[in-house]
Amino acid sequence: MAAEERGFLTAREAAVKMLLAVCKDGQFSHEAKEKYLVRIEEKRERALATRLFSGCLERMTELDYIIDRFSKTPVRKMKPAVAAILRITVYQLRFMDKIPAGAACNEAVKLTKKLGFSGLSGFVNGVARAVARTGTIAYPKAEENLTEFLSVRYSMPTTFVEQITEQYGTETAEKIFAAFLEEETSVSVRCMTHTTGVEELAGVFQKAGIRTEKGMYSPEALRLSGIDSPEALPLFHEGAFYIQDESSMQAVFAAGLSGGERVLDLCAAPGGKSVLAADILCSSGGGTVEARDCTAAKTALLEENKARCRLPGITVRCLDATVYREEDAEGYDVVLADVPCSGLGILGKKPDIKLFMTREREKELCILQRKILANAVRYVKKGGVLIFSTCTLNKEENMGGFYFLKECGMQPESLEPFLSEKLWTDTTKDGYLQLLPGVHGTDGFFLARFRKPS
């Protein structure tokens, strides 16, 4: 490791370096956190760095709009490090009341000099203090330009605003965008029923002082509030529960597993659906789950979750789902195909998706999805079940995949026998369901159930 990579960092310096890693170097946010948070000594400073970094990713469109109103040089033309310094500074000024404006501005100047841009310290100071002096900032007006208003108000790229409003309407789109900006107050977990009762698990959490509520759509789900690290929860390392959004659980419930099935999870990492399927089978008289993914890192994660949850019924294999395997033809009772997607349903958890996803990339993903789904169809036994799912809101990906599977001869089946009545909509009888943030209280998620004619 180079000398400059070894020293400890302040919270603001680490936040800037993480923003540069994502915005300039194209790294994923979790990779940037892993690289730089370890270089902060104090826990409190690490928390500040995380808040600044995550907040800037979440609010970047809005932050850039504010900066551009006070700077003669637009953000897109600034040196990346200077843009990052201004973003974390304006985030402190507009969204962190406990940090004095003077302190935020002074730290911005110090950091500009420390990173080798002394000649721009006056510029940074001027922009920061101009923002600090201004009370109310004039935002775009909805009646003049609705797309720009929604883009700045909810910090969404205009391409996504146009796409989601076109596909869902303005009222629903606003609910979705607002949900992405809400601070996550609870974590959803599913009890591993083959080893632990849900009431027993809830009791352990409550005894530990953790606010615990029942899940909305599954009797085995719990929602936990006021926790710092899910991995530090009691019974986590004993495998008594799995951290999983309730939306993702529905894809496995939709399979209607009753015991004895041979299940294939084609794109399985990190393993939530494989673990849930294996848990149901273990509690229902047996069956097997084969969990596949295409890299060693992903399969290592699958092995880790399999071991933690004590589920010997899962076999993990490193295989590319786009490559057809003749030996697997019609070999599985149930195939779970949670295919790669644009991830527009989880922007609240992964805001960096907004920086990288484009319409062109979405079209590429549609092609990739169809390659995987074509193989999935061939792996299902005659009379068997295929579950198609994604974590996106984009109808081109979701309904495009749905109609593709119909063209492959697969028959949609009603989801209603398998899901909570709370989730029944005018489409669930037709075999598919779109879950929406701000509407269903979950991540954005799509699932569809098909049967292969016998």
Side-chain angles (χ1 to χ4, degrees), residues 88 131 139 159 248 256 292 334 348 365 404 424:
I88 70 161
V131 175
Y139 278 38
T159 53
S248 179
R292 297 179 182 176
V334 173
L365 285 166
F404 173 79
W424 293 5

Side-chain angles (χ1 to χ4, degrees), residues 43 45 48 87 89 100 122 134 146 155 179 194 205-206 237 245 262 286 300 303 316 322 332 335 341 349 408 414 421:
K43 181 179 179 180
E45 285 286 288
L48 174 58
R87 282 166 175 160
T89 304
T134 304
L146 180 60
S155 215
H194 74 285
F205 289 146
Q206 290 165 353
H237 295 287
D245 193 77
R262 190 177 184 215
E303 290 282 10
V316 176
T322 65
Y332 296 89
V335 174
C341 69
K349 293 178 177 176
C408 291
S414 174
E421 288 187 23

Side-chain angles (χ1 to χ4, degrees), residues 113-417:
K113 294 177 179 178
K114 184 175 182 179
L115 294 180
F117 298 98
S118 295
L120 292 172
S121 60
F123 166 74
V124 168
N125 185 54
V127 173
R129 293 193 181 277
V131 175
R133 287 193 300 268
T134 304
T136 302
I137 292 175
Y139 278 38
K141 295 180 180 179
E143 60 271 21
E144 295 178 359
N145 189 326
L146 180 60
T147 297
E148 187 182 13
F149 165 77
L150 294 174
S151 174
V152 175
R153 170 66 181 82
Y154 298 107
S155 215
M156 291 283 291
T158 55
T159 53
F160 291 168
V161 170
E162 293 168 348
Q163 183 179 35
I164 301 305
T165 52
E166 178 185 337
Q167 294 184 2
Y168 293 97
T170 302
E171 183 179 349
T172 300
E174 278 211 71
K175 291 179 182 178
I176 293 170
F177 299 152
F180 287 147
L181 290 182
E182 289 177 1
E183 185 178 352
E184 240 184 313
T185 57
S186 67
V187 172
S188 177
V189 304
R190 189 200 182 262
C191 177
M192 291 290 100
T193 55
H194 74 285
T195 59
T196 311
V198 67
E199 296 299 333
E200 175 191 353
L201 182 63
V204 171
F205 289 146
Q206 290 165 353
K207 190 174 181 180
I210 299 164
R211 184 181 171 189
T212 307
E213 299 176 337
K214 293 182 178 180
M216 293 189 294
Y217 307 119
S218 166
E220 295 86 14
L222 296 170
R223 295 204 171 195
L224 313 179
S225 303
I227 60 175
D228 293 326
S229 170
E231 291 80 5
L233 289 168
L235 299 183
F236 173 83
H237 295 287
E238 289 78 6
F241 61 92
Y242 190 94
I243 301 162
Q244 185 177 30
D245 193 77
E246 281 199 80
S247 60
S248 179
M249 298 178 196
Q250 308 311 310
V252 183
F253 298 148
L257 299 174
S258 58
E261 290 93 346
R262 190 177 184 215
V263 178
L264 172 61
D265 190 353
L266 270 178
C267 307
K273 296 176 188 65
S274 293
V275 164
L276 176 49
D279 181 52
I280 292 172
L281 292 176
C282 192
S283 302
S284 306
T288 62
V289 177
E290 183 168 316
R292 297 179 182 176
D293 224 308
C294 59
T295 68
K298 289 181 177 181
T299 51
L301 191 55
L302 290 169
E303 290 282 10
E304 179 184 322
N305 284 318
K306 166 190 169 181
R308 184 181 64 81
C309 294
R310 304 176 186 181
L311 290 163
I314 299 178
T315 301
V316 176
R317 302 184 70 186
C318 187
L319 294 170
D320 186 343
T322 65
V323 178
Y324 178 64
R325 293 172 53 83
E326 181 67 37
E327 58 269 38
D328 292 328
E330 298 189 346
Y332 296 89
D333 301 291
V334 173
V335 174
L336 304 176
D338 188 69
V339 296
C341 69
S342 57
L344 301 187
I346 54 173
L347 290 179
K349 293 178 177 176
K350 296 184 177 181
D352 45 324
I353 291 173
K354 293 187 284 189
L355 306 181
F356 304 124
M357 193 53 59
T358 63
R359 291 291 187 93
E360 290 72 24
R361 177 57 180 153
E362 288 176 345
K363 293 183 185 303
E364 292 171 1
L365 285 166
C366 287
I367 296 170
L368 176 64
Q369 290 171 3
R370 285 164 185 54
K371 287 183 180 179
I372 295 172
L373 292 174
N375 291 337
V377 168
R378 299 165 80 181
Y379 296 149
V380 183
K381 288 181 178 178
K382 288 183 172 66
V385 171
L386 169 64
I387 303 298
F388 161 50
S389 62
T390 75
C391 59
T392 189
L393 306 173
N394 179 18
K395 291 185 178 182
E396 293 173 15
E397 296 173 74
N398 294 337
M399 295 311 299
F402 181 84
Y403 290 121
F404 173 79
L405 287 169
K406 289 184 69 174
E407 291 170 4
C408 291
M410 298 296 285
Q411 297 176 345
E413 288 192 332
S414 174
L415 291 166
E416 293 181 3

